[in-house]
Amino acid sequence: MENEEMLRALEAIARLSATKRGELLIRENERPRDLFLLVDGVFRGYFYDDNGRDITECFAYRPGTPVMACTELGMPSTINLAALNDSVCLALPIDELRVLMVLYPDLLKLSNKLLLDSLQYHWMVKSLLYKYTAKQRYQWFCQTHPGLTELAGAKYVASFLNMTPVTLSRLRRELKDRQHFSRIIYLQETKSTICLSGKDSHTVKREKSTPP
């Protein structure tokens, strides 16, 4: 009963928010008024280092993902969040959301869990950047973020993985060539197996047709 009431209360304050490709949803150092949950599209979180370089910090592309910096609700954002294509979010006013968190403790627990999950993910990414080679980082990215390179663009993925676009291009080509080679070997082995199977079957038939 309480969960149904909570959902109705959330529905009452929620609205859809559309962001065009290239537009900023949240600016760095800005205090957002809404909590945004991704409905459709892709967002990139980024900041500028001391040398003015654009550094990709994170991506949001899975529906339901919070589109926000890894900070407490209502705190100034530590990154910019821009849409990489026309995107839609569910916007929940933070002030009203805080009131609901007092009324519904499960909502507060969910908010804390989302924040904790985000912190753990960011810590894991930072560890990968220092512990693993460029090739290992890209292989991890392909396994955990399938299809995102095409959605976000190689330039931003390279920045996220702390490598140059040239390095990423070389790694993509190497892995593509290896997959192509593995496929050729697999097809050849499959063809050989079929041929051998057919030969054995033909031999058995001839043996059966030979009188004792």
Side-chain angles (χ1 to χ4, degrees):
M1 180 63 180
E2 182 177 333
N3 287 336
E4 292 180 2
E5 291 179 357
M6 181 181 73
L7 291 175
R8 285 197 295 270
L10 287 172
E11 185 179 1
I13 66 172
R15 74 180 193 282
L16 290 178
S17 173
T19 307
K20 294 291 184 181
R21 178 182 178 182
E23 290 183 351
L24 283 173
L25 178 68
I26 299 175
R27 293 181 182 275
E28 186 177 0
N29 297 321
E30 179 181 85
R31 192 183 296 271
R33 297 180 179 179
D34 300 294
L35 167 64
F36 296 99
L37 300 176
L38 185 64
V39 175
D40 184 50
V42 182
F43 282 89
R44 179 177 76 102
Y46 68 96
F47 62 91
Y48 294 99
D49 66 9
D50 293 338
N51 297 318
R53 292 185 306 166
D54 178 323
I55 307 296
T56 299
E57 203 265 347
C58 63
F59 295 102
Y61 69 105
R62 293 187 176 101
T65 301
V67 185
M68 60 179 290
C70 188
T71 57
E72 185 181 349
L73 283 178
M75 295 295 291
S77 178
T78 55
I79 56 176
N80 299 294
L81 284 153
L84 294 181
N85 54 22
D86 291 350
S87 304
V88 178
C89 291
L90 188 70
L92 299 165
I94 291 177
D95 289 342
E96 296 179 52
L97 196 56
R98 282 174 170 160
V99 173
L100 295 182
M101 286 179 180
V102 175
L103 296 174
Y104 305 103
D106 285 346
L107 188 58
L108 177 60
K109 291 179 183 178
L110 177 59
S111 175
N112 290 336
K113 183 180 184 305
L114 290 174
L115 178 59
L116 180 60
D117 289 346
S118 180
L119 286 169
Q120 290 176 337
Y121 172 78
H122 281 76
W123 175 252
M124 178 182 64
V125 171
K126 298 304 178 186
S127 299
L128 285 167
L129 296 181
Y130 291 102
K131 291 182 179 180
Y132 296 100
T133 65
K135 182 178 181 179
Q136 290 172 326
R137 296 199 298 271
Y138 179 61
Q139 288 175 324
W140 166 84
F141 185 83
C142 290
Q143 292 173 357
T144 56
H145 303 73
L148 185 53
T149 302
E150 287 70 25
L151 290 173
K155 173 185 175 182
Y156 296 138
V157 171
S159 174
F160 176 72
L161 295 175
N162 193 28
M163 63 179 73
T164 66
V166 174
T167 298
L168 179 60
S169 178
R170 175 176 56 80
L171 290 173
R172 294 183 72 188
R173 186 169 59 252
E174 287 179 2
L175 292 175
K176 185 177 180 180
D177 290 344
R178 179 177 298 179
Q179 291 171 354
H180 180 65
F181 179 74
S182 298
R183 178 169 176 78
I184 291 175
I185 295 299
Y186 171 76
L187 291 174
Q188 288 177 340
E189 291 178 346
T190 303
K191 183 178 180 180
S192 298
T193 302
I194 292 174
C195 290
L196 288 173
S197 176
K199 182 178 179 181
D200 292 343
S201 176
H202 182 64
T203 302
V204 170
K205 288 181 179 179
R206 285 200 307 171
E207 289 176 351
K208 286 184 177 180
S209 62
T210 302

